[in-house]
Amino acid sequence: MPESSDDLMKKIVSLCKRLGFVYQSGEIYGGLQSAWDYGPLGVELKRNLKNSWWEEMVSHRPDVVGMDSAIITHPEVWVGSGHVEHFHDPMVDCLECKARFRADGLESEVCPNCGGRLTDPRDFGLMLKTHFGAVEDDSAVVYVRPETCQSIFVNFRNVANATRQTLPFGIAQIGKAFRNEITARNFVFRSREFEQMEMEFFCLPEETDRWMEYWAEQRIAWYVSLGMDPDHLRLRAHASDELAHYAVQAVDIEYTFPFAPGGWGEMEGIHNRTDYDLKAQMELSGKDLRYDDKLSNRKILPHVVETSGGVDRTVLALLLDAYHEDEIEGRTRVVLKLSRELAPIKVAVLPLSRKLQDRAREVEKLLRPHWPVFFDVTGSIGKRYRRMDEVGTPFCVTYDFDSIDDGCVTIRERDSLEQIRVPIDDLIEEIDRLMTTGWGRS
Ligand code: GAP
């Protein structure tokens, strides 16, 4: 492993740019601070991650349904949710060097930059605004959502009526969220535009403790199922002075982000939001958002247990966890040990020599309808294997001179470096088996 955690982050950031996972947004103009563009491999990794979450949280469950709401939200939604009133950070400015800091993160009353005098703390709103329509006055102000879940709350009755779900049940959504973070930093960990995977689980108030426990277990098990080292994950309950304005209880799933103070940083939050949001939106809108309980013939305002994960933070944690350096024949090999489910490229087809490329293209054609395939003919075979190891491709298929006569190719596995020879006629079946059950030979 790399020597220091700083070093590891530098390696991940550089690998992301060089290989096409993540680029700084607007880089040719000096970069837009804390905005990131996902490249060809990054977008595949992110899609695989979101698909896995959706399957786990929605498709494979009878009691959770999905939705996809507008990013620009009615401004009253954020009055109802309490964000207009509560969603700010206290900030101070240095009168000397003009730097700005979060007041609650400072240890002394002088500027940590230059030792200058600081202003009194002032609230700085974290929601990003824009204007709807041609006139940019206050009446046209709308917010881009700072969390995806409020649209779930304001649509609660619509979804409950349409799906005829009975309590307890969940509504899930994946989408972009925006926050005017003051201290946006640490690569994609904290940015101003990011993606959330949220699920609001509506239940009876007396059941919230049980569901908090249940969802904490489920969610941590999902991260482990993605291949993350369980020793790099932990649950941490919030102290009462850390709770967001909507929560009475919160547990974070934390990961060993190298830059995080104390070595652990939040990847997902699990919150007991009570009936805070439904009640507040109901009061402000004057619309009845209660659930019609046919069993008891009562109208109920359910309570909510929320699971709220960050796509970008999970991508970063997956890359950090998958990054390995090993020694092969006296040379350092960088390998991303991403799970087969998440790997952006599943199979690489590599002709041993340029002379074999037309025949190898036929193998590529055979596989392409089934998996994302990468074809590479440039450089020595060793270099091409290394390139695929570095982007986490689980299997390389090599077409060599013997393949012409015996109709077989070699499959090489990324982690064990073991190889097997397989008839091209059986290749799809064999890779399908390996994708499902793994290598299982070493
Ligand atoms: N609906 C509840 C909610 O939004 P949160 O703890 O503020 O709760 C949930 O955010 C998750 O969203 C975090 O655990 C993190 O993964 C992600 N997240 C929040 N702010 C972020 C930012 N500025 N950049 C990247 N991800 C962020």
Side-chain angles (χ1 to χ4, degrees), residues 288-334:
D288 190 358
L289 293 178
R290 287 175 302 169
Y291 167 82
D292 258 322
D293 186 24
K294 301 279 187 281
L295 284 178
S296 63
N297 222 7
R298 281 185 309 148
K299 286 198 163 204
I300 302 170
L301 209 51
H303 280 219
V304 171
V305 170
E306 168 185 74
T307 70
S308 176
V311 174
D312 312 83
R313 282 191 193 179
T314 308
V315 164
L316 179 55
L318 286 165
L319 290 170
L320 287 162
D321 227 61
Y323 187 93
H324 287 81
E325 290 178 5
D326 52 26
E327 208 56 37
I328 309 280
E329 291 159 7
R331 293 178 64 179
T332 304
R333 171 179 86 134
V334 172

Side-chain angles (χ1 to χ4, degrees), residues 56-57 61 211-225 235 253 268 270 307:
E56 168 87 7
M57 298 296 282
R61 296 192 65 105
W211 288 115
M212 281 290 289
E213 224 171 273
Y214 170 85
W215 282 113
E217 262 174 38
Q218 293 289 309
R219 299 300 306 134
I220 214 159
W222 179 70
Y223 290 105
V224 173
S225 80
L235 289 170
I253 297 180
E268 169 159 346
I270 297 161
T307 70

Side-chain angles (χ1 to χ4, degrees), residues 289-393:
L289 293 178
R290 287 175 302 169
Y291 167 82
D292 258 322
D293 186 24
K294 301 279 187 281
L295 284 178
S296 63
N297 222 7
R298 281 185 309 148
K299 286 198 163 204
I300 302 170
L301 209 51
H303 280 219
V304 171
V305 170
E306 168 185 74
T307 70
S308 176
V311 174
D312 312 83
R313 282 191 193 179
T314 308
V315 164
L316 179 55
L318 286 165
L319 290 170
L320 287 162
D321 227 61
Y323 187 93
H324 287 81
E325 290 178 5
D326 52 26
E327 208 56 37
I328 309 280
E329 291 159 7
R331 293 178 64 179
T332 304
R333 171 179 86 134
V334 172
V335 52
L336 276 191
K337 295 191 176 177
L338 290 169
S339 71
R340 297 183 296 282
E341 182 191 10
L342 295 176
I345 300 168
K346 309 291 185 208
V347 190
V349 175
L350 313 173
L352 192 65
S353 146
R354 272 183 190 280
K355 289 185 191 138
L356 299 168
Q357 62 178 315
D358 291 347
R359 291 166 194 266
R361 279 278 182 204
E362 293 303 314
V363 176
E364 182 207 356
K365 258 193 228 154
L366 189 73
L367 301 180
R368 191 165 287 289
H370 303 274
W371 298 283
V373 179
F374 187 77
F375 186 90
D376 191 5
V377 73
T378 49
S380 72
I381 191 73
K383 270 204 184 121
R384 283 181 275 157
Y385 282 147
R386 299 285 181 278
R387 282 204 286 261
M388 285 299 101
D389 293 341
E390 232 184 343
V391 299
T393 305

